[in-house]
Each structure stands twice: as C-alpha cells, then as structure tokens.
Amino acid sequence: MDDVARAAGVSRRTIYRYFETKDDLVFESPRQWLEVLNGVLDARSTGESTRDLCHRALLEVARFIQDDAASVLAGFAVLTSSPSLLARHGRSDAEWTTRYLELIGPDVADEPDGALLAATAAMSLVAAQNALIAIWASGQPESDLMNMTTIVLDQIDSVWPPRSR
C-alpha cells in the first residue's frame, strides 16, 4: 500500500480511507465493471430479449475495460500472481453469476429444467468474460476487446434458453 500511496501522491492513510484492504484495491476495477453491467441491465429497452440485453451489457463492459486498459492490465498481473486474490476472484464470479441468474431465471422459470438452463447460460457468460480478459490481458492487449467480445458471444449463443432469445 506504501507503493500505491507513493504512486498516487497521497498518504497511506488516504489509500486506506478508500480501500479497506489491498484486495479491495485490486478488485476495484471488476466492481466498476459490475456497475457498468448493472447500469445497462437496469436500462432494459421495452421488448428487448434477455439475450440481446446481456450481449449489449457485455459489449459495454468490454468498452469500459478497453478504455481503462492500463489499469486493467496492471490489476490482472497482480491478480494472477496471488493465490489469495485468485480465490477472491471466485467470489467475484459468484456475484456476476447471481446477477445473470436474476435476469435469466424468470425467463425460464416455467420450463422443464429451467434452473439448469438459466445456470448454464449465466455461468457461460461469466466464463466467457473471464476467458476474454485472460486472453486479452495476458497476450493480446493490442487487440480490439469489443471485437473479441462479439466473437465469444456468438460462440456461446447456443447456451441461451429459447425463451430468453
């Protein structure tokens, strides 16, 4: 935290005023991504399918990430070098999965195996996002993350429950 404070030109105490732990500092960017996602999901257009809404939301998250590439790349490097941070990343994935389940679940609540269909779609979205960031941050940061997101979303289209399309 001393290094962060020095780089930011503030005291260590100031850093701790905003971030309770070092982990919180690393997970600030993903927290912001979830806010971007929630903002898009909460502004759903009338008649927009859940699938189209999720596609639009993930593209907006990708745009947000790409606009903050330097910070995301630095955070990814720290995350992947720490077993404790990787464990916390799993808890972050659970938040994303829960948000998607809240959105997709009602679409398939009356379907046979609706919970399974919703969970498959939700977890596929989270896994796709993780794959995108991992590939982009670990070797292709010069690539267009928006284009990569479109490719991945097209690839996982088959997991969408029919009533969510």
Side-chain angles (χ1 to χ4, degrees), residues 38 41 95-107 118 122:
N38 285 329
L41 297 181
E95 288 181 67
W96 285 80
T97 301
T98 298
R99 184 62 170 115
Y100 286 128
L101 285 171
E102 291 169 354
L103 187 68
I104 300 166
D107 286 353

Side-chain angles (χ1 to χ4, degrees), residues 24-46:
D24 291 338
L25 181 63
V26 172
F27 282 93
E28 177 61 16
S29 287
R31 187 195 60 72
Q32 291 175 352
W33 306 342
L34 189 57
E35 285 180 12
V36 170
L37 179 95
N38 285 329
V40 173
L41 297 181
D42 292 343
R44 186 177 196 164
S45 301
T46 304

